[in-house]
C-alpha cells in the first residue's frame, strides 16, 4: 500500500480544485473523523452522522471552487459545511434541534485511521483565553451547534449583543491562530 503524501493546505486546495482523485481520498482520510464528530454532536446518531458525512463530502466536492483561503482555513470552511448539513438534516426530518443542545459524548465515533486534525489542536485552549461572554457564545455556536437566535434565548441576551460577541470572539481567535501558525 502506497504511503499517503503530505500536502500543505494550499497544495491540497489546488489539487482539490483540479479535481484530483488522490486529493479527495487524502481529504477524506484526514478529515472525515473530525467532520463526523461535528455532525454527530448535532444529530446524536452514528448512522445518520455517517449519511450526513457523505453528503458533506459531496458538497465539498461541488463547492471547492468557492473556498477562499483569505477568509478561513480549509478545515474551518469544511467544519461549517458539516455543521450546516447536520442542522439542515435535523430541520428537514422534523427532529427537534434540542439535540443540538446536548454535548457530544466523549466516545464520538471517528474513523480509526483518522488522526486528530492539527487545525483544531489548540482551539479549546484558545477559546478558554477569550473573555467569558465571548467564550460562552463561541462555545454555544461553534462547538455545540446553536444558532445565534437560540443563544440569545438561552442567555436571555439581545440578539445584537450575541452577534457582537460572536464576531469579536472569532476575530480574537483568528488573531491567536495566526500568531500560533
Amino acid at each position: 500500500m502506497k504511503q499517503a503524501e503530505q500536502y500543505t493546505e494550499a497544495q491540497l486546495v489546488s489539487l482539490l480544485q483540479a479535481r484530483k482523485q488522490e486529493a479527495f481520498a487524502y481529504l477524506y482520510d484526514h478529515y472525515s473523523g473530525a467532520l463526523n464528530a461535528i455532525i454527530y454532536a448535532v444529530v446524536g446518531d452514528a448512522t445518520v452522522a455517517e449519511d450526513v458525512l457523505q453528503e458533506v463530502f459531496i458538497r465539498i466536492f461541488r463547492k471547492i471552487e468557492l473556498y477562499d483561503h483569505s477568509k478561513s482555513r480549509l478545515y474551518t470552511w469544511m467544519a461549517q459545511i458539516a455543521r450546516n448539513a447536520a442542522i439542515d438534516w435535523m430541520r428537514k426530518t422534523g427532529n427537534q434541534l434540542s439535540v443540538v443542545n446536548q454535548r457530544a459524548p466523549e466516545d464520538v465515533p471517528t474513523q480509526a485511521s483518522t488522526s486528530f486534525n492539527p487545525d483544531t489542536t489548540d482551539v479549546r485552549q484558545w477559546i478558554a483565553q477569550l473573555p467569558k461572554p465571548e467564550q460562552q457564545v463561541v462555545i454555544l455556536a461553534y462547538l455545540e451547534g446553536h444558532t445565534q437566535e437560540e443563544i440569545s434565548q438561552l442567555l436571555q441576551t439581545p440578539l445584537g449583543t450575541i452577534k457582537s460577541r460572536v464576531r469579536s470572539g472569532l476575530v480574537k481567535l483568528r488573531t491567536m491562530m495566526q500568531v500560533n501558525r
Side-chain angles (χ1 to χ4, degrees):
M1 181 178 239
K2 182 180 166 185
Q3 176 96 5
E5 289 191 46
Q6 294 294 318
Y7 301 109
T8 65
E9 186 171 288
Q11 290 170 328
L12 181 59
V13 169
S14 178
L15 290 169
L16 291 168
Q17 290 176 339
R19 304 283 187 210
K20 297 295 183 184
Q21 180 64 33
E22 65 272 11
F24 281 99
Y26 178 91
L27 189 75
Y28 189 87
D29 290 345
H30 288 83
Y31 291 92
S32 62
L35 296 177
N36 191 48
I38 291 167
I39 296 164
Y40 182 83
V42 175
V43 302
D45 180 284
T47 303
V48 170
E50 289 174 16
D51 291 343
V52 174
L53 180 65
Q54 297 308 313
E55 176 61 31
V56 166
F57 276 96
I58 291 169
R59 287 183 190 184
I60 291 168
F61 178 79
R62 289 181 179 156
K63 295 180 178 188
I64 191 63
E65 287 80 18
L66 300 176
Y67 170 69
D68 182 353
H69 70 87
S70 69
K71 292 184 180 177
S72 69
R73 303 211 44 189
L74 179 62
Y75 174 76
T76 306
W77 180 75
M78 293 187 309
Q80 191 63 44
I81 290 172
R83 180 179 173 273
N84 290 345
I87 291 170
D88 289 349
W89 181 87
M90 294 293 289
R91 289 182 177 143
K92 181 172 63 177
T93 60
N95 287 305
Q96 294 295 317
L97 281 173
S98 62
V99 172
V100 173
N101 301 341
Q102 300 170 0
R103 296 196 59 88
E106 295 303 314
D107 60 341
V108 172
T110 59
Q111 300 293 331
S113 64
T114 303
S115 60
F116 189 68
N117 187 313
D119 291 343
T120 62
T121 302
D122 297 314
V123 172
R124 287 192 186 271
Q125 293 167 344
W126 292 329
I127 291 172
Q129 295 175 35
L130 294 173
K132 290 293 180 195
E134 292 169 1
Q135 185 183 118
Q136 187 177 32
V137 296
V138 168
I139 288 170
L140 288 169
Y142 291 96
L143 299 182
E144 295 185 13
H146 294 280
T147 66
Q148 291 180 352
E149 291 81 9
E150 290 170 338
I151 296 169
S152 175
Q153 292 173 352
L154 282 169
L155 300 180
Q156 297 179 345
T157 304
L159 181 59
T161 302
I162 297 301
K163 289 181 177 190
S164 295
R165 288 178 183 170
V166 168
R167 171 132 175 75
S168 176
L170 292 178
V171 167
K172 290 175 184 175
L173 285 173
R174 177 178 283 174
T175 301
M176 287 182 225
M177 289 177 184
Q178 289 173 342
V179 168
N180 291 300
R181 275 191 184 185

